[in-house]
């Protein structure tokens, strides 16, 4: 009964969060286009399914992903196993990125648009390695108490510099890859690890130190994809990568 009650609460919250989207669509449909959408009851059913999916997803996060991430980070931090914590962080970041549905979709489209010149699987691995490395950097930030802006400002500056060097066809893909990397699979795990570490270390606060890993994970894949795209453009198969 407890799980059903929590799911009902999540479903109600999800439907409330969908209301602004529904309101915008209805207003423009009725006032601008002056017509009723085809199969309105089908649209309502679809929205209910979306709401149920979001509720199930959030409920699942609360039951498994967040507790597992926090507990693992707590155990590593309390035992002082830094040599194990850093490889664990890399492995989690890599695995979460490889399994990210949004990243899989983008990688497949990149391979399709480039006519196979950009290998979708290699692109996913490049991004996954980037996320793994930045998660190691983020864990060190939490452990050492580094301010997040000291990492973000130089990192984004480097990304912007590489933007001027990388082939124009790659830049859009790089920035999109940074966005899709932080999605439904990776964000909960990464956030849970950051919160678990901050909660286990004296002198750390959840807000100041527990968050920030996700912001780093947006930045680094941009750099990795631009470097990979530059290599493909200069040393890959003959012919330029066609513009999307």
């Amino acid at each position: 009964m407890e799980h059903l009650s929590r799911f009902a609460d999540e479903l109600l919250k999800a439907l409330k969060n969908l209301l602004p989207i529904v309101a915008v669509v209805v207003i423009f449909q009725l006032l601008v286009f002056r017509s009723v959408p085809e199969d309105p009851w089908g649209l309502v059913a679809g929205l209910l399914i979306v709401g149920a999916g979001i509720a199930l997803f959030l409920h699942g996060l609360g039951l498994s992903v967040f507790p597992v991430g926090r507990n693992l980070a707590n155990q590593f931090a309390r035992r002082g196993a830094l040599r194990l914590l850093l490889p664990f962080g890399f492995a989690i970041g890599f695995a979460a990125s490889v399994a990210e549905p949004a990243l899989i979709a983008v990688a497949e489209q990149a391979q399709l648009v480039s006519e196979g010149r950009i290998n979708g699987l290699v692109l996913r691995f490049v991004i996954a390695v980037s996320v793994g490395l930045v998660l190691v950097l983020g864990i060190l930030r939490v452990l050492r108490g580094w301010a997040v802006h000291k990492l973000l400002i130089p990192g984004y500056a480097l990304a912007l510099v590489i933007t001027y060097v990388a082939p124009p066809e790659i830049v859009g893909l790089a920035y999109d890859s940074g966005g899709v990397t932080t999605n439904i699979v990776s964000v909960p795990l990464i956030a849970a690890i950051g919160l678990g570490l901050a909660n286990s270390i004296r002198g750390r606060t959840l807000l100041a130190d527990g968050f920030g890993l996700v912001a780093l994970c947006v930045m680094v894949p941009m750099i990795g994809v631009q470097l990979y795209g530059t290599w493909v453009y200069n040393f890959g198969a003959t012919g330029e990568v066609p513009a999307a």
Side-chain angles (χ1 to χ4, degrees):
M1 291 300 294
E2 179 184 354
H3 290 306
L4 289 177
S5 177
R6 290 177 58 184
F7 172 73
D9 291 338
E10 294 291 353
L11 178 59
L12 184 60
K13 291 178 183 178
L15 292 176
K16 287 182 178 179
N17 291 332
L18 288 172
L19 281 179
I21 300 176
V22 175
V24 170
V25 172
V26 170
I27 290 173
F28 274 83
Q29 190 72 44
L30 296 180
L31 299 183
V32 177
F33 299 107
R34 299 180 182 277
S35 64
V36 177
E38 295 182 6
D39 191 16
W41 293 113
L43 295 178
V44 172
L47 287 172
L48 292 176
I49 293 172
V50 170
I54 294 174
L56 286 170
F57 173 70
L58 294 176
H59 189 52
L61 290 182
L63 288 176
S64 59
V65 176
F66 277 120
V68 168
R70 285 197 298 265
N71 290 337
L72 287 173
N74 286 337
Q75 292 178 38
F76 279 115
R78 289 172 181 172
R79 294 182 180 181
L82 180 60
R83 293 181 179 179
L84 294 176
L85 179 59
L86 296 182
F88 164 75
F90 177 86
I92 284 291
F94 182 90
S97 297
V98 168
E100 185 64 65
L103 178 57
I104 294 173
V106 169
E108 290 177 351
Q109 288 299 311
Q111 180 169 329
L112 178 64
V113 170
S114 66
E115 298 179 351
R117 186 168 185 183
I118 295 178
N119 186 290
L121 183 60
V122 174
L123 178 62
R124 287 168 57 195
F125 281 173
V126 168
I127 295 173
V129 170
S130 301
V131 174
L133 292 176
V134 80
L135 198 56
V136 171
L137 180 63
I139 290 172
L140 289 173
R141 183 193 76 82
V142 176
L143 294 176
R144 306 301 182 193
W146 299 337
V148 67
H149 69 270
K150 292 183 179 179
L151 299 176
L152 288 178
I153 293 175
Y156 276 105
L158 177 60
L160 290 174
V161 170
I162 298 178
T163 297
Y164 286 98
V165 179
E169 295 85 356
I170 300 300
V171 173
L173 175 61
Y175 280 87
D176 286 347
S177 299
V180 299
T181 300
T182 52
N183 216 287
I184 59 174
V185 174
S186 56
V187 169
L189 277 172
I190 294 170
I193 290 172
L195 292 172
L197 283 176
N199 189 52
S200 303
I201 302 173
R202 292 182 180 180
R204 300 288 183 266
T205 62
L206 295 179
L207 284 177
D209 300 294
F211 293 95
L213 300 186
V214 177
L216 291 172
C217 289
V218 175
M219 169 190 68
V220 175
M222 299 178 188
I223 300 173
V225 173
Q226 289 186 82
L227 292 176
Y228 166 65
T230 301
W231 181 87
V232 170
Y233 187 86
N234 292 325
F235 304 105
T238 58
E240 295 186 357
V241 178

